[in-house]
């Protein structure tokens, strides 16, 4: 259930999108290109009017900052206008100190004295219990997403929305731009391959802000999942357009996770994260360029990989021959601190670059090496291949194994991508 319809100078805005008065961002040289305001900036400027008189629980991490790098919870706590009763930390934790697949545990925030609940991987039942125990009336979500289905924060939002719907809590999303733009790419998740890196049926690079996704989830999935929609409000961004990337805005970049250091990392991630699904190749964790440095043991891979990729003339990207030793290995301990050979992904035209097509091309060429091996997880006997969970089905893996080239692999999901584009359209705000 969403509550209001607002009109702006650009026409109607669908119900549930809170629209503040516009002001210019200080220091923006070109208001038509770089001036962007997040939902948090708008909320601060309103002196937290939307949250006064409510018991607020905040789902956030280090990215929940305003244009001056001040954190949402600190601002609320110090304002005296908002009764913050709890914070909830997703993967990596509320203050962001945990590595991939980790969290910070439940405890007390040293700065504010607020109880921080460990919410990583929480089920709907656990969310319901945390909301009840903390006395939360209104849930506020403010986390910078990076636009890929397998980045877990959107599923933290989804599961907490479903729980809020079931126990009658209001849900407010402070929107932020999608750093990789508003266009959708890639294959659709299928029901048999849902997991923590893709709980519901959306495409691999969804092209939506968290506010738009919340509206989509609320209408498309929650009536079935929770038996009802949640009372949802989205405090929307201002001056952001769908064709703008993070590099086109003046917004501060705070690492959303330890291996997401730059906006270029976010741009390559929807494609090169597929190498999480390859046992013999590291995606560059533990280097200065995670997800941009990709390689396997130097005894198994070589400079031919980059040469073959450059010969394809993929749009917006070139490949540098690269050698490195990863100091973190994730699920691939055999590669830890070992000399690796591969490529560095160098984006030369952000507007032309297609991360998923690029990732597919990299896989197709890597598959030609005898040492190439898909990652298989013993803990899931029915669906052992991690790449299937990342891409949403066995299709990409089986096509590449059968010798399909890039155009055939990418073309296989054209119809489902077009259908998703139509399905998401009513929920877009920008």
């Amino acid at each position: 259930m969403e509550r209001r319809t607002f009109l702006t100078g650009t026409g109607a805005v669908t119900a549930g999108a809170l629209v503040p008065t516009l002001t210019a961002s200080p220091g923006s040289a070109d208001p038509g290109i770089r001036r962007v305001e997040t939902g948090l900036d708008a909320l601060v400027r309103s002196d937290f009017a939307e949250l006064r008189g409510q018991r607020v629980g905040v789902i956030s991490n280090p990215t929940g900052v305003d244009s001056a790098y001040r954190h949402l919870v600190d601002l609320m706590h110090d304002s005296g206008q908002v009764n913050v009763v709890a914070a909830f930390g997703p993967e990596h934790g509320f203050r962001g100190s945990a590595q991939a697949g980790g969290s910070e545990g439940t405890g007390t925030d040293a700065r504010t004295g607020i109880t921080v609940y460990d919410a990583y991987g929480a089920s709907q039942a656990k969310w319901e219990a945390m909301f009840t125990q903390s006395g939360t009336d209104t849930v506020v979500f403010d986390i910078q997403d990076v636009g890929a289905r397998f980045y877990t924060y959107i599923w933290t939002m989804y599961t907490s929305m479903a729980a809020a719907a079931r126990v009658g809590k209001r849900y407010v999303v402070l929107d932020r731009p999608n750093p990789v733009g508003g266009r959708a790419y890639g294959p659709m998740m299928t029901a048999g391959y849902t997991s923590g890196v893709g709980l519901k049926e959306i495409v691999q690079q969804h092209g939506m802000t968290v506010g738009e996704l919340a509206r989509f989830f609320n209408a498309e999935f929650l009536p079935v999942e929770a038996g009802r929609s949640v009372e949802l409000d989205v405090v929307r961004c201002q001056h952001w357009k769908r064709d703008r990337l993070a590099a086109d805005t003046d917004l501060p970049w705070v690492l959303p996770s330890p291996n997401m250091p730059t906006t270029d990392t976010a741009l390559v991630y929807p494609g090169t994260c597929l190498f999480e699904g390859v046992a013999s190749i590291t995606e560059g964790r533990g280097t200065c360029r995670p997800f941009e440095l990709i390689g396997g043991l130097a005894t198994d891979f070589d400079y031919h990989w980059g040469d073959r990729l450059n010969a394809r003339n993929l749009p917006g990207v070139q490949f540098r021959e690269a050698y490195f030793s990863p100091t973190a290995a994730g699920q691939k301990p055999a590669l830890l601190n070992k000399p690796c050979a591969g490529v560095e992904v160098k984006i030369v035209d952000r507007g032309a670059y297609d991360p998923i097509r690029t990732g597919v091309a990299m896989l197709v060429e890597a598959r030609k090496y005898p040492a190439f091996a898909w990652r298989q997880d013993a803990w899931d006997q029915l669906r052992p291949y991690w790449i299937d969970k990342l891409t949403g089905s066995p299709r990409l893996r089986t096509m590449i194994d059968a010798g399909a080239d890039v155009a055939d692999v990418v073309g296989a999901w054209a119809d489902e991508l077009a259908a998703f584009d139509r399905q998401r359209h009513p929920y877009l705000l920008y």
Side-chain angles (χ1 to χ4, degrees):
M1 141 177 63
E2 293 182 90
R3 302 186 304 163
R4 295 186 277 276
T5 298
F6 296 86
L7 295 176
T8 69
T10 56
V13 177
T14 312
L18 306 184
V19 182
T21 304
L22 305 183
T23 61
S25 299
S28 297
D30 187 344
I33 295 177
R34 302 192 62 82
R35 183 180 59 169
V36 175
E37 181 180 70
T38 67
L40 174 57
D41 290 325
L43 185 69
V44 171
R45 186 160 43 76
S46 74
D47 203 18
F48 303 100
E50 278 295 320
L51 301 177
R52 293 178 193 167
Q54 298 158 63
R55 295 172 59 84
V56 175
V58 177
I59 304 170
S60 192
N61 71 357
T63 66
V65 297
D66 69 358
S67 58
Y69 294 95
R70 300 174 299 181
H71 196 272
L72 163 67
V73 168
D74 301 335
L75 288 165
M76 288 181 172
H77 178 264
D78 295 344
S79 72
Q81 302 293 329
V82 182
N83 182 13
V84 184
V85 297
F88 305 95
E91 183 179 9
H92 309 293
F94 172 66
R95 293 293 183 184
S97 65
Q99 286 293 326
S103 59
E104 293 173 332
T106 296
T108 301
D109 180 52
R111 184 180 183 91
T112 63
I114 293 168
T115 298
V116 180
Y117 293 83
D118 182 358
Y120 176 44
S123 64
Q124 287 185 40
K126 182 176 178 179
W127 276 110
E128 292 172 24
M130 290 188 295
F131 291 155
T132 300
Q133 181 179 348
S134 63
T136 295
D137 296 323
T138 295
V139 182
V140 174
F141 182 94
D142 187 14
I143 295 178
Q144 177 66 67
D145 182 43
V146 299
R149 182 180 60 217
F150 30 67
Y151 209 57
T152 61
Y153 299 142
I154 61 173
W155 305 117
T156 295
M157 180 175 73
Y158 174 75
T159 309
S160 60
M161 284 178 65
R166 291 174 64 89
V167 294
K169 308 299 182 183
R170 180 186 177 215
Y171 205 99
V172 177
V173 176
L174 305 183
D175 211 4
R176 292 180 177 271
N178 186 324
V180 299
R183 183 177 173 183
Y185 296 88
M188 176 69 82
M189 174 58 65
T190 59
Y193 286 85
T194 58
S195 72
V197 291
L199 287 178
K200 304 299 291 185
E201 294 84 353
I202 63 174
V203 298
Q204 187 168 314
Q205 183 174 333
H206 50 72
M208 301 169 78
T209 67
V210 288
E212 292 171 335
L213 275 171
R215 289 159 47 80
F216 181 91
F217 292 162
N218 203 34
E220 298 289 335
F221 299 140
L222 257 64
V224 174
E225 183 85 19
R228 71 196 76 174
S229 296
V230 73
E231 182 185 337
L232 173 67
D233 285 308
V234 175
V235 183
R236 60 176 292 180
C237 306
Q238 298 297 314
H239 307 294
W240 184 72
K241 297 181 180 179
R242 308 202 71 77
D243 60 352
R244 290 182 182 168
L245 308 176
D248 301 322
T249 77
D250 58 356
L251 292 176
W253 182 257
V254 175
L255 282 74
S257 56
N259 285 288
M260 196 65 60
T262 72
T263 57
D264 274 349
T265 319
L267 195 53
V268 301
Y269 177 79
T272 56
C273 186
L274 294 177
F275 282 91
E276 280 191 359
V278 181
S280 52
I281 296 177
T282 172
E283 60 275 18
R285 295 179 186 274
T287 72
C288 294
R289 288 288 181 178
F291 301 105
E292 295 176 69
L293 284 169
I294 310 293
L297 292 176
T299 53
D300 297 330
F301 295 86
D302 60 17
Y303 63 89
H304 292 297
W305 188 13
D307 289 350
R308 292 170 184 148
L309 286 167
N310 282 325
R312 287 179 172 272
N313 294 313
L314 295 166
V317 64
Q318 294 179 353
F319 299 89
R320 182 184 71 83
E321 176 185 351
Y323 301 88
F324 58 95
S325 297
T327 59
Q331 301 297 316
K332 306 168 189 179
L335 301 177
L336 180 65
N337 294 318
K338 299 292 179 60
C340 290
V343 297
E344 181 181 1
V345 182
K346 304 294 289 185
I347 300 173
V348 295
D349 183 342
R350 291 186 179 95
Y353 178 67
D354 181 336
I356 298 179
R357 177 179 287 272
T358 300
V360 171
M362 294 172 69
L363 286 169
V364 166
E365 292 297 345
R367 182 67 179 80
K368 297 174 182 178
Y369 285 89
F372 181 95
W374 299 109
R375 170 183 156 190
Q376 299 184 58
D377 296 316
W379 51 266
D380 191 346
Q381 295 290 325
L382 295 177
R383 309 175 306 170
Y385 291 100
W386 188 248
I387 189 70
D388 297 352
K389 297 181 178 72
L390 294 174
T391 61
S393 77
R395 181 178 55 198
L396 177 140
R397 173 177 54 83
T398 57
M399 288 185 73
I400 291 177
D401 281 349
D405 203 11
V406 178
D408 295 324
V409 176
V410 173
W413 57 66
D415 290 345
E416 64 209 50
L417 176 58
F420 176 76
D421 224 12
R422 293 189 296 270
Q423 183 186 20
R424 74 181 186 138
H425 189 266
Y427 310 107
L428 302 182
L429 293 169
Y430 311 96

